[in-house]
Amino acid sequence: MKLPFLTKSRYAWLLVASLTLSACASAVAIEPTAQPVATNQPTEVTNPTQIPTEVIVEPTDTSEPITEPSETPLVVPSATVAPLPDEAPPSGATREFTTDFSIHSIPYSEVLSGGPPKDGIPAIDSPSFVNVAEAEEWLEDEEPVILIERNGDARAYPIQILMWHEIVNDEVGGEPVVVTFCPLCNTGIAFERTVNGQVLDFGTTGRLRNSNLIMYDRPTETWWQQATGEGVAGELTGTQLVFLPAAMISWDDFKTAHPDGLVLSRDTGFTRSYGNNPYAGYDDINSSPFLFRGDTPDELPAMARVLTVELGDKAVAYPNDILEEVHVVNDTIGDEEVVVIWEAGTASALDEVQIATSSDVGAANVYARELDGQTLTFVYDGAKIVDEQTGSEWNVLGQAVSGDLAGKQLRPIVSVNHFWFSWAAFMPETRIYQP
């Protein structure tokens, strides 16, 4: 199968990258202290992030075996809790996992192999961190990072690292969290790791559904869909992880807002080409999604970037090209008055070979418009975003940086970047914002 998002030159580069990755995988690496619980699984695999040249359809397996506001927990999207009838699990799954595959909420026919096996893309289980000054040595201003802030503890997780690991098991502000990134869907999502009183840690299954990462937790080996946070196979099927606000912003925005914040270190215990993008050219608007077999509603191109929100039974997708034009959107989702703030200066992680030289796609986040009992209305005056009530200026982090409300913080609403095909596959009943 021809890779639709690659030119001949990019394809040639990918072949070279594959050889480099193979060499990295065969090299001796310093492993993290905490090791994945794996059955007959090597600690390193050849070519851990190689994009397969053919879609691998898994056959069935017949074998056995600032002023910080309070946050309202928001679940995005809702879990499907009704298990499906018994069905043979995906090929090879029973050899790698102890999962109870008799319990599942998705058809196993929708599961594809992403290429690497279980933990072939290694999660970071014992993350180390550096300060802003140290990270400045290897992060460029426009590079994307995921911001997680809990109880005053602000941390940046550079996409240049998450690209190669997809999962970081961490504790932020005393709370166990998992930070995840699926390159094929452009989804950076954080969840609470505590489920039913038990702290879970997560790894990669090596499988995809709708091109989206399927994770597993190590205590029960339940499979989890990254896009929905739902347990989809195993003991915890139907259980919903709690989403946390996770803003994908530029390194410059993070260090300006959080000069004393912490940054995930490149010292991961693995040898990877941090700063390089192994999916070069993937986010071309005219390309096709990879390892995706579904149909995409034609309201938007499949690879269009959208910022997505679900509140209650209402879902909205905000196309990035519209946000780039208007900069700010005042909207209502269900009973919640929200504002979407877009700001230039954040590079795509999936454009050029070097992430730092990729095109500027900007960053957008969603916040509640109510502040101290007053509902604010926001406008873009051609240079900056201000509220009509006080004239205070606001940034992409929902912070008032000047004016009467300087120092105030809007309450973040969980929002997730997606490609349109990915969001539509999981949330087909979605309103697409139009000005």
Side-chain angles (χ1 to χ4, degrees), residues 35-307:
Q35 296 296 323
V37 178
T39 304
N40 299 324
Q41 191 65 32
T43 55
E44 292 282 349
V45 298
T46 302
N47 229 0
T49 59
Q50 181 182 3
I51 302 174
T53 56
E54 294 186 1
V55 175
I56 304 173
V57 180
E58 294 262 341
T60 56
D61 186 356
T62 57
S63 62
E64 293 296 329
I66 298 175
T67 303
E68 188 172 326
S70 60
E71 292 178 359
T72 302
L74 299 171
V75 177
V76 186
S78 304
T80 301
V81 296
L84 295 180
D86 195 15
E87 179 185 357
S91 177
T94 56
R95 293 191 296 273
E96 293 181 274
F97 294 90
T98 60
T99 307
D100 183 354
F101 287 107
S102 68
I103 308 171
H104 59 107
S105 60
I106 60 171
Y108 288 133
S109 60
E110 295 180 354
V111 176
L112 306 181
S113 170
K118 175 185 181 183
D119 291 320
I121 298 176
I124 298 176
D125 297 312
S126 298
S128 59
F129 292 84
V130 297
N131 60 32
V132 166
E134 292 173 286
E136 275 280 82
E137 299 177 4
W138 47 270
L139 271 174
E140 299 296 332
D141 282 353
E142 61 277 7
E143 285 197 57
V145 303
I146 293 176
L147 163 64
I148 306 294
E149 186 172 10
R150 309 300 295 169
N151 303 319
D153 183 357
R155 302 190 181 195
Y157 299 81
I159 298 298
Q160 65 156 266
I161 300 175
L162 280 167
M163 182 80 74
W164 300 87
H165 297 280
E166 300 190 1
I167 295 173
V168 179
N169 294 293
D170 199 7
E171 186 172 297
V172 183
E175 298 180 10
V177 304
V178 58
V179 183
T180 69
F181 178 67
C182 177
L184 294 182
C185 296
N186 192 43
T187 44
I189 306 175
F191 305 97
E192 293 183 4
R193 285 199 288 131
T194 303
V195 176
N196 300 330
Q198 181 181 22
V199 176
L200 306 179
D201 59 329
F202 293 85
T204 59
T205 63
R207 275 74 172 180
L208 304 167
R209 175 171 168 256
N210 293 329
S211 196
N212 182 251
L213 165 67
I214 298 178
M215 314 179 293
Y216 79 98
D217 74 75
R218 296 190 180 119
T220 73
E221 299 217 332
T222 297
W223 287 19
W224 301 83
Q225 190 77 59
Q226 187 243 11
T228 66
E230 177 196 350
V232 295
E235 177 183 333
L236 297 178
T237 293
T239 302
Q240 177 69 57
L241 298 176
V242 176
F243 281 63
L244 298 175
M248 192 180 295
I249 59 173
S250 70
W251 166 238
D252 186 57
D253 284 332
F254 176 85
K255 68 182 180 181
T256 300
H258 301 286
D260 297 322
L262 297 176
V263 185
L264 180 66
S265 171
R266 282 176 156 185
D267 184 14
T268 62
F270 298 92
T271 301
R272 296 293 185 269
S273 297
Y274 299 126
N276 285 352
N277 164 30
Y279 306 92
Y282 180 62
D283 68 350
D284 185 337
I285 192 68
N286 296 313
S287 69
S288 301
F290 197 61
L291 291 176
F292 178 71
R293 299 186 302 169
D295 296 322
T296 301
D298 59 7
E299 288 91 340
L300 295 171
M303 298 298 291
R305 290 173 175 268
V306 291
L307 184 71

Side-chain angles (χ1 to χ4, degrees), residues 348 373 376:
S348 166
L376 302 177

Side-chain angles (χ1 to χ4, degrees), residues 22 42 76 90 100 104 152 177 203 212 238 308 312-313 321 338 411 416 427:
S22 298
V76 186
D100 183 354
H104 59 107
V177 304
N212 182 251
T308 64
D313 60 353
D321 58 351
V338 304
R411 175 170 57 87
V416 179
M427 291 299 299

